[in-house]
């Protein structure tokens, strides 16, 4: 999807500018008169006062009991059989998946589990803790982690054939991460390698599950975050990731689970292995991700787990470079991602400080962008007027020196200098809004803040307008902007064609883009029409005229 968007925008720019370079406007004596959904209008997927949780998983002979750990942010279910994480509900985010009405997001797929632990000991033998029966301390059905209080711990102990295993989970209030401490006796002098089965994919909580699956990826961080989409790992294929890594995670469109080091900047995990899972359709929904970690002879290990939303502000507070847990933009990442982060921070700041719904924030942001670019657009349009004014003189010079390219170049440069004309002066202001537009595409495609946020008739600003009203309005606004911009411009068949082609092309391109992106672009176009009209009227006043049969150039006043 990212590559298609970048290609489409590059194509749009080429279609827009190349004809203007090949067929410049012709001068005229007197010119005639753009698989698996409540919400606060200004906040992300609001949580009901008492979140409705899914019914607890019923224990069976082979699953043991479920110990529930609850906080204002989450509800985690740990199985005493294997000590695995069998449920991870995020209470502040509603699931939009079919059949999940009024239920919070659960990251664990049905029948799945996170944090399966295995030990590879000397000789290559593998000890799986999956079938060990653990005894919890405290021996209670649940633990509540209160905001403002200290950490709480769940300890699980198991013993078999003289070996003792302890898993302790330590929870901190107001965070989506917890600490894992383990100890194993009898490893011997060579220690072991711990295999942590992190995930085989997250449970989709989106109405458009296919779009969600396209974002499934393994993300690793050594010096910087690197992303490998599930779709790139074929069924049964083993993909090896050489560390050491500070963290290894699995992401969907809006959510993220990861094993991360205790200390920031300290590589803890030796590597990772991803095995592609079976596919029932084109989308890659499952990939088993295992993290490897060395265990010393003493048999102790420690690491942290994050299981929560891909919320930039929350992740940035945790350190470890987790704010880059969703790298996007491909080869344009060094440019697109910083611009996207800046734009997102501006939108969030406007929403919080001005107390406006996100829809109005986007409209206001489009107007602000155009206000900031107003002086540059003014200069660009004035440059266009001067270019039009000297067009007859340029044509005459081209005819006069068409057989002497060097003389022609010198004369044209002299004309540009005398009349203060920059032949490329109109291009830069037209290109400046493009990085913002491209950044907003990625903001809406990857930012959980807009997930499920309604505006007017739009049920979700992060999804396409179901009635296609906003993209059509965007196309009409672009056509109006282009039409007004042609007032006073000499007739040119190629330019006239672009007036109709570009709005139609952009409308078709934007039909299935986020409604919020279309809303921003439409607001920006509509606010630009008055400035375009004022320049067009000035162009009519200062157009070149004929006098006594010879061309008279009337440069624009500055």
């Amino acid at each position: 999807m990212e590559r298609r968007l970048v290609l489409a925008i590059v194509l749009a720019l080429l279609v827009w500018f190349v004809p203007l370079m090949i067929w410049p406007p012709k001068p005229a004596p007197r010119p005639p008169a753009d698989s698996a959904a409540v919400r606060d209008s200004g906040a992300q997927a609001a949580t009901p006062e008492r979140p409705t949780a899914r019914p607890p998983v019923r224990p069976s002979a082979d699953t043991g009991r479920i110990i529930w750990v609850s906080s204002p942010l989450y509800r985690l279910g740990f199985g005493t059989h294997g000590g695995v994480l069998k449920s991870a509900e995020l209470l502040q985010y509603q699931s939009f998946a079919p059949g999940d009405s009024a239920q919070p997001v659960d990251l664990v797929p049905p029948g799945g589990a996170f944090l399966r632990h295995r030990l590879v000991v000397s000789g290559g033998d593998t000890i799986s803790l999956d079938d060990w029966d653990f005894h919890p301390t405290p021996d209670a059905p649940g633990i509540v982690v209160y905001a403002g209080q200290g950490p709480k711990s769940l300890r699980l102990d198991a013993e078999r054939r003289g070996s003792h295993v302890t898993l302790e989970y330590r929870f901190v209030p107001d965070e989506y991460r917890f600490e894992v401490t383990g100890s194993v006796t009898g490893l011997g002098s060579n220690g072991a390698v711990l295999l942590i089965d992190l995930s085989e994919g997250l449970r989709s909580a989106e109405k458009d599950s296919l779009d969600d699956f396209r974002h499934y990826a393994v993300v690793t961080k050594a010096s910087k975050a690197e992303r490998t989409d599930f779709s790139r790992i074929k069924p049964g294929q083993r993909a090896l990731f050489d560390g050491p890594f500070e963290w290894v995670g699995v992401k969907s469109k809006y959510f993220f689970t990861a094993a991360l080091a205790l200390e920031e900047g300290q590589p803890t995990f030796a590597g990772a292995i991803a095995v592609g899972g079976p596919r029932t359709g084109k989308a890659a929904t499952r990939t088993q991700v295992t993290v490897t970690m060395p265990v010393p002879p003493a048999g102790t290990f420690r690491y942290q787990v994050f299981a929560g939303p891909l919320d930039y502000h929350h992740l940035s507070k945790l350190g470890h470079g987790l704010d880059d847990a969703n790298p996007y933009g491909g080869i344009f990442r060094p440019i697109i991602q910083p611009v996207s982060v800046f734009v997102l921070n501006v939108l969030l700041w406007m929403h919080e400080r001005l107390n406006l719904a996100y829809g109005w924030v986007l409209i206001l942001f489009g107007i602000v962008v155009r206000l900031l670019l107003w002086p540059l657009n003014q200069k660009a349009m004035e440059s266009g007027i001067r270019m039009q004014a000297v067009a007859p003189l340029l044509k005459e010079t081209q005819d006069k020196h068409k057989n002497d390219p060097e003389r022609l170049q010198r004369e044209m440069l002299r004309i540009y200098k005398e009349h203060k004309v920059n032949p490329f002066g109109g291009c830069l202001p037209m290109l400046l809004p493009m990085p913002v537009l491209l950044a907003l595409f990625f903001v809406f495609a990857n930012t959980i803040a807009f997930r499920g946020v309604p505006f007017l008739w739009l049920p979700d600003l992060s999804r396409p307008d179901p009635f296609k009203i906003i993209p059509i309005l965007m196309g009409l606004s672009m056509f109006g902007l282009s039409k007004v911009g042609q007032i006073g411009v000499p007739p040119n068949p190629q330019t006239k064609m672009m007036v109709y082609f570009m709005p139609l092309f952009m409308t078709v391109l934007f039909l299935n883009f986020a409604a919020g992106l279309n809303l921003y672009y439409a607001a920006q176009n509509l606010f630009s029409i008055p400035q375009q009209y004022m320049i067009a009227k000035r162009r009519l006043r200062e157009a070149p005229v004929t006098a006594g049969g010879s061309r008279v150039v009337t440069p624009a006043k500055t």
Side-chain angles (χ1 to χ4, degrees):
M1 185 64 179
E2 296 175 4
R3 294 177 181 175
R4 290 202 302 269
L5 173 76
V6 173
L7 180 61
I9 290 184
V10 171
L11 178 61
L13 292 175
L14 289 175
V15 171
W16 182 267
F17 286 107
V18 170
L20 297 179
M21 297 173 66
I22 298 176
W23 300 291
K26 297 179 181 179
R30 189 182 298 275
D34 184 338
S35 95
V38 316
R39 310 152 215 148
D40 177 19
S41 62
Q44 132 68 37
T47 309
E49 291 184 11
R50 295 183 178 181
T52 305
R54 291 179 179 78
V57 177
R58 293 184 178 181
S60 63
D62 61 346
T63 62
R65 287 196 295 134
I66 302 294
I67 308 298
W68 295 97
V69 180
S70 302
S71 84
L73 299 180
Y74 55 74
R75 186 170 183 260
L76 307 177
F78 291 88
T80 58
H81 190 79
V84 295
L85 180 63
K86 300 185 72 66
S87 179
E89 296 179 350
L90 307 183
L91 302 181
Q92 296 191 358
Y93 295 92
Q94 179 185 345
S95 175
F96 299 142
D100 281 357
S101 177
Q103 299 287 352
V105 168
D106 191 346
L107 300 180
V108 182
F114 294 169
L115 306 182
R116 300 180 187 271
H117 293 92
R118 290 173 290 157
L119 288 163
V120 180
V121 296
S122 58
D125 294 334
T126 300
I127 302 173
S128 176
L129 304 183
D130 247 5
D131 57 351
W132 288 49
D133 290 316
F134 288 84
H135 302 283
T137 305
D139 192 3
I143 298 173
V144 179
V145 184
Y146 293 101
Q149 294 186 353
K152 295 287 186 70
S153 295
L154 169 64
R155 174 170 170 160
L156 300 171
D157 290 279
E159 193 164 346
R160 180 183 291 181
R161 300 189 186 94
S163 296
H164 189 89
V165 176
T166 298
L167 294 174
E168 184 172 354
Y169 300 100
R170 185 171 180 268
F171 308 92
V172 180
D174 303 321
E175 289 189 8
Y176 288 100
R177 64 175 171 175
F178 55 90
E179 185 178 309
V180 181
T181 302
S183 66
V184 184
T185 62
L187 287 184
S189 59
N190 294 325
V193 175
L194 178 66
L195 305 179
I196 308 166
D197 289 345
L198 184 62
S199 172
E200 62 173 2
L202 307 181
R203 183 181 187 273
S204 180
E206 309 308 318
K207 186 175 182 179
D208 186 352
S209 59
L210 186 60
D211 179 55
D212 195 27
F213 294 149
R214 293 191 188 105
H215 291 79
Y216 278 24
V218 183
V219 189
T220 59
K221 193 246 179 174
S223 58
K224 66 176 183 177
E226 299 290 347
R227 165 180 165 179
T228 302
D229 293 339
F230 279 12
S231 59
R232 295 177 56 186
I233 306 174
K234 297 178 181 179
Q237 178 186 355
R238 290 170 60 90
L240 302 179
F241 301 88
D242 293 327
F245 296 122
E246 186 173 345
W247 50 259
V248 178
V250 174
K251 65 170 288 291
S252 62
K253 184 173 184 177
Y254 295 117
F255 300 100
F256 180 57
T257 60
L260 60 148
L262 288 177
E263 300 295 332
E264 187 168 4
Q266 294 297 318
T268 298
F269 306 102
I273 305 168
V275 181
R279 302 183 189 180
T280 55
K282 293 183 179 180
T285 61
R286 293 288 174 263
T287 294
Q288 180 63 54
V289 179
T290 302
V291 184
T292 63
M293 179 179 180
V295 179
T300 59
F301 57 87
R302 293 177 68 194
Y303 65 95
Q304 296 182 94
V305 173
F306 177 88
L310 275 169
D311 184 316
Y312 173 80
H313 281 178
H314 183 85
L315 292 171
S316 62
K317 293 176 183 177
L318 298 179
H320 294 275
L322 282 173
D323 53 350
D324 197 21
N326 186 24
Y328 52 79
I331 60 174
F332 300 101
R333 175 182 169 190
I335 300 174
I336 290 175
Q337 205 148 357
V339 176
S340 298
V341 170
F342 173 76
V343 170
L344 175 62
N345 285 331
V346 172
L347 294 176
L348 295 177
W349 181 88
M350 292 174 68
H351 167 66
E352 294 168 1
R353 295 301 178 92
L354 303 179
N355 196 26
L356 290 174
Y358 276 116
W360 295 115
V361 166
L362 291 167
I363 293 173
L364 181 59
F365 182 69
I367 294 173
V368 168
V369 169
R370 274 301 172 184
L371 281 175
L372 293 175
L373 293 177
W374 187 286
L376 287 175
N377 285 328
Q378 192 79 8
K379 289 184 178 180
M381 293 174 184
E382 289 174 353
S383 176
I385 293 176
R386 289 193 291 269
M387 191 69 182
Q388 181 185 344
V390 301
L393 188 56
L394 290 173
K395 183 67 169 67
E396 181 181 338
T397 303
Q398 290 170 348
D399 294 338
K400 184 177 180 180
H401 303 291
K402 60 183 178 181
N403 296 323
D404 189 351
E406 293 184 4
R407 177 70 181 276
L408 175 61
Q409 184 178 12
R410 289 197 303 270
E411 289 297 318
M412 291 184 70
L413 291 175
R414 180 184 61 80
I415 293 172
Y416 289 148
K417 185 176 181 180
E418 287 182 359
H419 296 276
K420 299 180 180 179
V421 174
N422 181 358
F424 300 104
C427 298
L428 181 60
M430 296 178 70
L431 291 173
L432 282 177
M434 281 304 180
V436 178
L437 182 64
L438 192 58
L440 275 173
F441 169 81
F442 288 101
V443 165
F444 280 105
N446 300 278
T447 303
I448 199 168
F450 299 102
R451 178 183 182 267
V453 176
F455 181 67
L456 301 179
W457 70 87
L458 301 169
D460 189 339
L461 285 173
S462 68
R463 290 179 46 78
D465 181 351
F467 306 106
K468 309 302 181 186
I469 296 174
I470 292 294
I472 292 175
L473 177 62
M474 184 278 298
L476 291 174
S477 68
M478 190 174 184
F479 173 75
L481 184 64
S482 302
K483 195 71 174 175
V484 172
Q486 292 303 304
I487 297 176
V489 175
N492 186 288
Q494 289 77 25
T495 304
K496 186 177 181 180
M497 179 193 71
M498 297 302 296
V499 170
Y500 294 92
F501 173 77
M502 281 303 296
L504 180 61
F505 174 79
M506 295 297 283
T507 301
V508 173
L509 178 65
F510 276 58
L511 272 179
N512 293 314
F513 286 176
L517 181 66
N518 281 279
L519 185 65
Y520 158 80
Y521 201 22
Q524 189 186 87
N525 289 339
L526 289 171
F527 189 75
S528 301
I529 291 177
Q531 183 186 27
Q532 192 80 281
Y533 180 75
M534 288 188 292
I535 293 295
K537 298 297 287 185
R538 179 175 172 178
R539 185 186 296 121
L540 286 174
R541 292 195 305 267
E542 302 183 6
V545 298
T546 58
S550 60
R551 296 185 183 278
V552 176
V553 176
T554 309
K557 298 178 181 178
T558 57

